[in-house]
Amino acid sequence: MPASTSATADPHRHDAKPRRRAGRPAAAVLDQDGITAAALQLIGKSGYEGFTMAALARTLNVAPSALYNHVSSKRDVLVLVQDHLTSFVDVSAFDAEPWDRAVRSWAWSYRDVFSKHTPLIPVIAVLPVTDAPKTLAMYEAVSAGFRRAGFPQERIISAIVALESFIFGSAYDVTAPSDIFDSGSMAESTPNFTAAVARLADQGYENQADVAFELGLGALVTGFGALRG
Amino acid sequence: MPASTSATADPHRHDAKPRRRAGRPAAAVLDQDGITAAALQLIGKSGYEGFTMAALARTLNVAPSALYNHVSSKRDVLVLVQDHLTSFVDVSAFDAEPWDRAVRSWAWSYRDVFSKHTPLIPVIAVLPVTDAPKTLAMYEAVSAGFRRAGFPQERIISAIVALESFIFGSAYDVTAPSDIFDSGSMAESTPNFTAAVARLADQGYENQADVAFELGLGALVTGFGALRG
DNA sequence: CCACTAAATGAATGCCGTTCATTTAGACTA
DNA sequence: TAGTCTAAATGAACGGCATTCATTTAGTGG
């Protein structure tokens, strides 16, 4: 039976300990960690367009079908990659800094990690935490930070979800073309919008996505900070 | 030359007026509006998994390749659908209510429309407004509302972008499974998170995604409201 | 009636994720 | 040592996908 990251647990498994019934073949060429690492490297080199099961198998010197002994679908591989990436999100500030600074630090880190992996966002956004242990560990660290800061327990999850939604949406902005708001030939019929875009451009040279992120993050942190007991 | 919604404008076009050089064939079976309507209907019936160029052609009683006389790619069709959907977003409150209530009304409407079409979010989030006239019209209405409310011009776009990011991220939440936060067998190692999830569940029967959206939207509206002159 | 052209056709292309019967080769048992 | 069990790898195959292209169709203006 192949390994699986699927959400539905195997109902035939009697206990947690994996029972070895008989002999095993020698050093397996493949395992989930190796697949995850190779996938991450491939994505880094070829992007998500070039990330195919065939290409992944090639980098592992293996037939494409061999992957399916360790993973049940391409989506499974994406889940593994997503969870691994989440371990790069920096939650250390929750142990070292006041709540508002910790949230900001975490949020920026989170956005930066996934702005380079926006195709994973539809996956991660609806993924049960059971299937992503490192992601769960991140939530635990953040939840602990909120609790220590005096947050009412029944608001913690909602606040984290709201922040995360803002973070995911903002990750897309980072990859948007810089002329995304150029109204072109329709400028005359959209005077208010066109003027606002022009005024924004007049401002400094700072990244537009960063400015919006800072603005929204500030509002969320201030607003949520008022909930603390 | 086939019609195109592509971002790069045709450099060979001399003026805006479409010059008819010679005779035209009779009633074309297909046009962009018809394709858009059929696509929307097909998506409603079969979802985005069932939305293929072949299936779309079938509903139009046409060969798949015929679509490419009016549209340059499947992505083009998605852009057409996205823009059409945006016209369903309600911006009327900006003409009838105070700014904060108008923003809330618009944001809820925007989220509700795209929570049923999350596969379009990666498309819309990075789409130049030139390619989506109805989307541009929405931005104009919102920008006008912000300006009338006394917003400094150079902050209007950033505030809208931040709100939109939050809206897109929140649209995913609506489609997430309700047990997404069930930590299962790892509950013992994540006490803070697990407790917070339990406390949230103790609360009313309200939709979890709606609670988080309301919480975040309130913070953003309050925070941005303070920017008005 | 002819020349022109937008639009539809249908076959072909290349890629994709995935399945499956079969083979391989260690490891335990007797 | 011989026999058996099994996880894992193979390679061929499948169906589906978006897209391309040479060709045909059928109105229209000259």
Side-chain angles (χ1 to χ4, degrees), chain B residues 49-68:
Chain B
E49 328 80 53
F51 175 62
T52 67
M53 294 299 270
L56 178 57
R58 203 175 315 124
T59 72
L60 289 160
N61 291 315
V62 132
S65 52
L67 296 169
Y68 289 85

PDB file of all heavy atoms in Angstrom, chain B residues 49-68:
ATOM      1  N   GLU B  49     -13.787  22.080 -12.838  1.00  0.00           N
ATOM      2  CA  GLU B  49     -13.165  20.844 -13.323  1.00  0.00           C
ATOM      3  C   GLU B  49     -13.746  20.487 -14.675  1.00  0.00           C
ATOM      4  O   GLU B  49     -13.037  19.997 -15.551  1.00  0.00           O
ATOM      5  CB  GLU B  49     -13.405  19.688 -12.370  1.00  0.00           C
ATOM      6  CG  GLU B  49     -13.500  20.063 -10.903  1.00  0.00           C
ATOM      7  CD  GLU B  49     -14.891  20.609 -10.549  1.00  0.00           C
ATOM      8  OE1 GLU B  49     -15.889  19.951 -10.828  1.00  0.00           O
ATOM      9  OE2 GLU B  49     -14.921  21.733  -9.989  1.00  0.00           O
ATOM     10  N   GLY B  50     -15.043  20.705 -14.827  1.00  0.00           N
ATOM     11  CA  GLY B  50     -15.703  20.341 -16.073  1.00  0.00           C
ATOM     12  C   GLY B  50     -15.618  21.416 -17.141  1.00  0.00           C
ATOM     13  O   GLY B  50     -16.121  21.237 -18.245  1.00  0.00           O
ATOM     14  N   PHE B  51     -14.974  22.511 -16.804  1.00  0.00           N
ATOM     15  CA  PHE B  51     -14.888  23.609 -17.760  1.00  0.00           C
ATOM     16  C   PHE B  51     -13.671  23.430 -18.663  1.00  0.00           C
ATOM     17  O   PHE B  51     -12.557  23.794 -18.297  1.00  0.00           O
ATOM     18  CB  PHE B  51     -14.826  24.942 -17.019  1.00  0.00           C
ATOM     19  CG  PHE B  51     -14.621  26.113 -17.922  1.00  0.00           C
ATOM     20  CD1 PHE B  51     -15.559  26.429 -18.890  1.00  0.00           C
ATOM     21  CD2 PHE B  51     -13.490  26.898 -17.819  1.00  0.00           C
ATOM     22  CE1 PHE B  51     -15.356  27.508 -19.738  1.00  0.00           C
ATOM     23  CE2 PHE B  51     -13.290  27.982 -18.659  1.00  0.00           C
ATOM     24  CZ  PHE B  51     -14.223  28.284 -19.621  1.00  0.00           C
ATOM     25  N   THR B  52     -13.897  22.867 -19.827  1.00  0.00           N
ATOM     26  CA  THR B  52     -12.824  22.675 -20.804  1.00  0.00           C
ATOM     27  C   THR B  52     -13.241  23.341 -22.112  1.00  0.00           C
ATOM     28  O   THR B  52     -14.431  23.599 -22.339  1.00  0.00           O
ATOM     29  CB  THR B  52     -12.565  21.186 -21.075  1.00  0.00           C
ATOM     30  OG1 THR B  52     -13.701  20.629 -21.736  1.00  0.00           O
ATOM     31  CG2 THR B  52     -12.313  20.435 -19.782  1.00  0.00           C
ATOM     32  N   MET B  53     -12.275  23.588 -22.941  1.00  0.00           N
ATOM     33  CA  MET B  53     -12.576  24.206 -24.226  1.00  0.00           C
ATOM     34  C   MET B  53     -13.482  23.297 -25.049  1.00  0.00           C
ATOM     35  O   MET B  53     -14.362  23.774 -25.762  1.00  0.00           O
ATOM     36  CB  MET B  53     -11.275  24.521 -24.972  1.00  0.00           C
ATOM     37  CG  MET B  53     -10.422  25.572 -24.287  1.00  0.00           C
ATOM     38  SD  MET B  53     -11.237  27.177 -24.114  1.00  0.00           S
ATOM     39  CE  MET B  53     -10.762  27.995 -25.640  1.00  0.00           C
ATOM     40  N   ALA B  54     -13.253  21.999 -24.936  1.00  0.00           N
ATOM     41  CA  ALA B  54     -14.085  21.057 -25.685  1.00  0.00           C
ATOM     42  C   ALA B  54     -15.526  21.107 -25.185  1.00  0.00           C
ATOM     43  O   ALA B  54     -16.468  21.144 -25.987  1.00  0.00           O
ATOM     44  CB  ALA B  54     -13.518  19.645 -25.544  1.00  0.00           C
ATOM     45  N   ALA B  55     -15.711  21.115 -23.874  1.00  0.00           N
ATOM     46  CA  ALA B  55     -17.056  21.158 -23.310  1.00  0.00           C
ATOM     47  C   ALA B  55     -17.739  22.478 -23.659  1.00  0.00           C
ATOM     48  O   ALA B  55     -18.936  22.507 -23.983  1.00  0.00           O
ATOM     49  CB  ALA B  55     -16.992  20.968 -21.797  1.00  0.00           C
ATOM     50  N   LEU B  56     -16.980  23.543 -23.591  1.00  0.00           N
ATOM     51  CA  LEU B  56     -17.537  24.854 -23.936  1.00  0.00           C
ATOM     52  C   LEU B  56     -17.998  24.877 -25.389  1.00  0.00           C
ATOM     53  O   LEU B  56     -19.098  25.348 -25.706  1.00  0.00           O
ATOM     54  CB  LEU B  56     -16.475  25.932 -23.691  1.00  0.00           C
ATOM     55  CG  LEU B  56     -16.855  27.371 -24.037  1.00  0.00           C
ATOM     56  CD1 LEU B  56     -18.099  27.809 -23.284  1.00  0.00           C
ATOM     57  CD2 LEU B  56     -15.697  28.322 -23.742  1.00  0.00           C
ATOM     58  N   ALA B  57     -17.181  24.340 -26.264  1.00  0.00           N
ATOM     59  CA  ALA B  57     -17.545  24.278 -27.684  1.00  0.00           C
ATOM     60  C   ALA B  57     -18.807  23.442 -27.873  1.00  0.00           C
ATOM     61  O   ALA B  57     -19.674  23.781 -28.680  1.00  0.00           O
ATOM     62  CB  ALA B  57     -16.382  23.696 -28.489  1.00  0.00           C
ATOM     63  N   ARG B  58     -18.888  22.360 -27.134  1.00  0.00           N
ATOM     64  CA  ARG B  58     -20.038  21.481 -27.280  1.00  0.00           C
ATOM     65  C   ARG B  58     -21.337  22.209 -26.951  1.00  0.00           C
ATOM     66  O   ARG B  58     -22.332  22.075 -27.640  1.00  0.00           O
ATOM     67  CB  ARG B  58     -19.862  20.240 -26.392  1.00  0.00           C
ATOM     68  CG  ARG B  58     -20.674  19.023 -26.841  1.00  0.00           C
ATOM     69  CD  ARG B  58     -20.352  17.793 -25.978  1.00  0.00           C
ATOM     70  NE  ARG B  58     -18.912  17.623 -25.773  1.00  0.00           N
ATOM     71  CZ  ARG B  58     -18.324  17.543 -24.593  1.00  0.00           C
ATOM     72  NH1 ARG B  58     -19.037  17.619 -23.495  1.00  0.00           N
ATOM     73  NH2 ARG B  58     -17.012  17.388 -24.496  1.00  0.00           N
ATOM     74  N   THR B  59     -21.329  22.995 -25.866  1.00  0.00           N
ATOM     75  CA  THR B  59     -22.555  23.713 -25.504  1.00  0.00           C
ATOM     76  C   THR B  59     -22.918  24.757 -26.552  1.00  0.00           C
ATOM     77  O   THR B  59     -24.053  25.209 -26.599  1.00  0.00           O
ATOM     78  CB  THR B  59     -22.417  24.411 -24.140  1.00  0.00           C
ATOM     79  OG1 THR B  59     -21.529  25.528 -24.284  1.00  0.00           O
ATOM     80  CG2 THR B  59     -21.869  23.468 -23.091  1.00  0.00           C
ATOM     81  N   LEU B  60     -21.951  25.139 -27.368  1.00  0.00           N
ATOM     82  CA  LEU B  60     -22.205  26.145 -28.401  1.00  0.00           C
ATOM     83  C   LEU B  60     -22.418  25.501 -29.767  1.00  0.00           C
ATOM     84  O   LEU B  60     -22.533  26.205 -30.779  1.00  0.00           O
ATOM     85  CB  LEU B  60     -21.044  27.140 -28.450  1.00  0.00           C
ATOM     86  CG  LEU B  60     -20.948  28.094 -27.260  1.00  0.00           C
ATOM     87  CD1 LEU B  60     -19.553  28.682 -27.138  1.00  0.00           C
ATOM     88  CD2 LEU B  60     -21.962  29.215 -27.392  1.00  0.00           C
ATOM     89  N   ASN B  61     -22.420  24.166 -29.796  1.00  0.00           N
ATOM     90  CA  ASN B  61     -22.595  23.424 -31.045  1.00  0.00           C
ATOM     91  C   ASN B  61     -21.575  23.831 -32.097  1.00  0.00           C
ATOM     92  O   ASN B  61     -21.923  24.193 -33.229  1.00  0.00           O
ATOM     93  CB  ASN B  61     -24.011  23.612 -31.588  1.00  0.00           C
ATOM     94  CG  ASN B  61     -25.037  22.929 -30.721  1.00  0.00           C
ATOM     95  OD1 ASN B  61     -24.838  21.786 -30.308  1.00  0.00           O
ATOM     96  ND2 ASN B  61     -26.112  23.639 -30.410  1.00  0.00           N
ATOM     97  N   VAL B  62     -20.354  23.734 -31.695  1.00  0.00           N
ATOM     98  CA  VAL B  62     -19.263  24.252 -32.512  1.00  0.00           C
ATOM     99  C   VAL B  62     -18.029  23.406 -32.249  1.00  0.00           C
ATOM    100  O   VAL B  62     -17.928  22.758 -31.209  1.00  0.00           O
ATOM    101  CB  VAL B  62     -19.058  25.734 -32.120  1.00  0.00           C
ATOM    102  CG1 VAL B  62     -17.621  26.062 -31.863  1.00  0.00           C
ATOM    103  CG2 VAL B  62     -19.683  26.645 -33.147  1.00  0.00           C
ATOM    104  N   ALA B  63     -17.116  23.364 -33.172  1.00  0.00           N
ATOM    105  CA  ALA B  63     -15.871  22.647 -32.949  1.00  0.00           C
ATOM    106  C   ALA B  63     -14.979  23.439 -31.994  1.00  0.00           C
ATOM    107  O   ALA B  63     -15.003  24.675 -32.021  1.00  0.00           O
ATOM    108  CB  ALA B  63     -15.135  22.428 -34.257  1.00  0.00           C
ATOM    109  N   PRO B  64     -14.205  22.746 -31.154  1.00  0.00           N
ATOM    110  CA  PRO B  64     -13.338  23.447 -30.191  1.00  0.00           C
ATOM    111  C   PRO B  64     -12.446  24.483 -30.855  1.00  0.00           C
ATOM    112  O   PRO B  64     -12.267  25.588 -30.341  1.00  0.00           O
ATOM    113  CB  PRO B  64     -12.506  22.313 -29.584  1.00  0.00           C
ATOM    114  CG  PRO B  64     -13.356  21.102 -29.723  1.00  0.00           C
ATOM    115  CD  PRO B  64     -14.140  21.278 -30.986  1.00  0.00           C
ATOM    116  N   SER B  65     -11.939  24.146 -32.020  1.00  0.00           N
ATOM    117  CA  SER B  65     -11.008  25.075 -32.664  1.00  0.00           C
ATOM    118  C   SER B  65     -11.689  26.367 -33.093  1.00  0.00           C
ATOM    119  O   SER B  65     -11.018  27.389 -33.252  1.00  0.00           O
ATOM    120  CB  SER B  65     -10.357  24.395 -33.869  1.00  0.00           C
ATOM    121  OG  SER B  65     -11.329  23.848 -34.713  1.00  0.00           O
ATOM    122  N   ALA B  66     -13.001  26.331 -33.277  1.00  0.00           N
ATOM    123  CA  ALA B  66     -13.712  27.537 -33.695  1.00  0.00           C
ATOM    124  C   ALA B  66     -13.619  28.639 -32.639  1.00  0.00           C
ATOM    125  O   ALA B  66     -13.631  29.826 -32.955  1.00  0.00           O
ATOM    126  CB  ALA B  66     -15.176  27.214 -33.978  1.00  0.00           C
ATOM    127  N   LEU B  67     -13.486  28.232 -31.380  1.00  0.00           N
ATOM    128  CA  LEU B  67     -13.395  29.225 -30.304  1.00  0.00           C
ATOM    129  C   LEU B  67     -12.194  30.145 -30.499  1.00  0.00           C
ATOM    130  O   LEU B  67     -12.237  31.314 -30.128  1.00  0.00           O
ATOM    131  CB  LEU B  67     -13.295  28.514 -28.950  1.00  0.00           C
ATOM    132  CG  LEU B  67     -14.511  27.683 -28.543  1.00  0.00           C
ATOM    133  CD1 LEU B  67     -14.174  26.821 -27.336  1.00  0.00           C
ATOM    134  CD2 LEU B  67     -15.689  28.587 -28.232  1.00  0.00           C
ATOM    135  N   TYR B  68     -11.154  29.584 -31.095  1.00  0.00           N
ATOM    136  CA  TYR B  68      -9.910  30.339 -31.202  1.00  0.00           C
ATOM    137  C   TYR B  68      -9.958  31.426 -32.263  1.00  0.00           C
ATOM    138  O   TYR B  68      -9.009  32.178 -32.439  1.00  0.00           O
ATOM    139  CB  TYR B  68      -8.737  29.374 -31.424  1.00  0.00           C
ATOM    140  CG  TYR B  68      -8.431  28.580 -30.178  1.00  0.00           C
ATOM    141  CD1 TYR B  68      -9.111  27.400 -29.884  1.00  0.00           C
ATOM    142  CD2 TYR B  68      -7.501  29.042 -29.252  1.00  0.00           C
ATOM    143  CE1 TYR B  68      -8.856  26.687 -28.733  1.00  0.00           C
ATOM    144  CE2 TYR B  68      -7.239  28.339 -28.096  1.00  0.00           C
ATOM    145  CZ  TYR B  68      -7.917  27.165 -27.837  1.00  0.00           C
ATOM    146  OH  TYR B  68      -7.668  26.481 -26.685  1.00  0.00           O
TER     147      TYR B  68
END
